[in-house]
């Protein structure tokens, strides 16, 4: 038997070439990455073949050159999952979403023209988009980071996916999406409306530009979208924008990770989040630090007491 970890080459959703950690077994190559210190866990990518059965079948290739057009979503889901794994391990000393080296499984080509992506409690799932609203959704690093952060949140704070705790859940995923892709304040710009340039799904710097509030006074009380979790996330997102703009990414990501994994709870609301982030800032930089004051100012500016 000649099974082996191999290195392949692939084309991503946006036509870019990237190097892939693959696996060769019995004459076939797999999107199966055994190179991470996951004590048995792997990063593995599958295709639902445009149906709904999960996880589907492993993505395979005959020659380890993953360049077919129908492999682009597979390539990016696999590659970006590895990038996000490395980020949590190297920046926060967290070994996968469970901090115990759990395998990260992604399935692409879910259903047909599916304009969404989600963490189903066990794995990531990505639609191909309809080509107008979305390109294949694994093509954006900030989207992949958004999804994997839902898994981290589920295993740590456990923020209930409704009302203010749900909006915080969403915001944490958008904020870590920024930490992975800090080139802009937009979320999903690499896959959103492929025929239109410069737009995104949401903006941390200007939530209003995509119909989100950025102040508590404009909190939207609604029963739709689990109490507006994708709408009211604009408020904590704007606070994050102020915080990052003031203290920088390096300190902000430490504060956010500590708050998420140490202080937030399933029913935390926006005010609890302000306290959690202030406690984290105090722990890390002192309660008289400019960093602490910047976090306080950010949440004061969005009207959260
Ligand atoms: O916000 C989200 N999920 O909670 C989105 C919706 C479109 C992108 C992929 C998943 C972001
Ligand atoms: Ca982005
Ligand atoms: Zn989300």
């Amino acid at each position: 038997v000649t099974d082996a970890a191999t290195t392949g080459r692939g084309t991503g959703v946006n036509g870019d070439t990237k190097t892939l950690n693959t696996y060769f077994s019995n004459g076939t190559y797999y999107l199966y990455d055994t190179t991470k210190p996951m004590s048995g866990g792997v990063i593995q990518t599958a295709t639902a073949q445009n149906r709904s059965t999960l996880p589907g079948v492993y993505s395979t290739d005959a020659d380890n050159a993953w360049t077919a057009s129908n492999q682009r979503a597979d390539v990016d889901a696999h590659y970006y999952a590895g990038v996000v794994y490395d980020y949590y391990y190297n920046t926060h000393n967290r070994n996968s979403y469970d901090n115990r080296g759990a395998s990260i499984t992604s399935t692409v080509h879910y259903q047909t023209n599916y304009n969404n992506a989600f963490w189903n409690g066990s794995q990531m799932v990505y639609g191909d988009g309809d080509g107008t609203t979305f390109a294949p959704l694994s093509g954006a690093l900030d989207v992949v980071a958004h999804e994997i952060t839902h898994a981290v949140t589920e295993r740590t704070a456990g923020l209930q996916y409704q009302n203010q705790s749900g909006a915080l859940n969403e915001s944490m995923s958008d904020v870590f999406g920024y930490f992975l892709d800090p080139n802009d304040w937009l979320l999903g710009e690499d896959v959103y409306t492929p025929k239109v340039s410069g737009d995104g799904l949401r903006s941390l710097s200007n939530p209003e530009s995509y119909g989100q509030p950025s102040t508590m006074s404009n909190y939207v009380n609604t029963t739709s979208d689990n109490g507006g979790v994708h709408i009211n996330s604009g408020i904590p997102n704007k606070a994050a924008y102020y915080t990052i703009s003031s203290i920088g990414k390096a300190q902000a990501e430490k504060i956010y990770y500590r708050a998420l994994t140490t202080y937030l709870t399933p029913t935390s609301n926006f005010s609890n989040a302000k306290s959690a982030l202030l406690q984290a800032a105090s722990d890390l930089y002192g309660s008289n630090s400019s960093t602490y004051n910047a976090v306080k100012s950010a949440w004061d500016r969005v009207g959260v007491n």
Side-chain angles (χ1 to χ4, degrees), residues 250-267:
Q251 288 194 352
E253 62 194 346
K254 289 286 183 194
I255 291 166
Y256 270 82
Y257 182 77
R258 184 170 179 80
L260 179 64
T261 59
T262 309
Y263 295 119
L264 289 172
T265 72
T267 57

Side-chain angles (χ1 to χ4, degrees), residues 146-147 150 161 169-170 173-174 202 230:
H146 178 108
E147 294 314 325
H150 275 313
Y161 206 62
N169 186 315
E170 271 300 308
S173 279
D174 284 353
R202 293 189 281 272
H230 293 97

Side-chain angles (χ1 to χ4, degrees), residues 148-206:
I148 294 176
T149 300
H150 275 313
V152 172
T153 296
E154 189 180 272
R155 297 305 187 101
T156 55
L159 290 162
Q160 291 175 1
Y161 206 62
Q162 65 187 17
N163 305 324
Q164 287 192 27
S165 56
L168 283 174
N169 186 315
E170 271 300 308
S171 177
M172 284 292 167
S173 279
D174 284 353
V175 170
F176 279 90
Y178 170 83
F179 291 144
L180 267 293
D181 169 37
N183 305 317
D184 52 63
W185 295 108
L186 294 173
L187 182 90
E189 71 284 351
D190 288 346
V191 295
Y192 189 63
T193 60
K195 297 168 185 170
V196 178
S197 65
D199 62 346
L201 185 68
R202 293 189 281 272
S203 165
L204 270 72
S205 59
N206 189 354

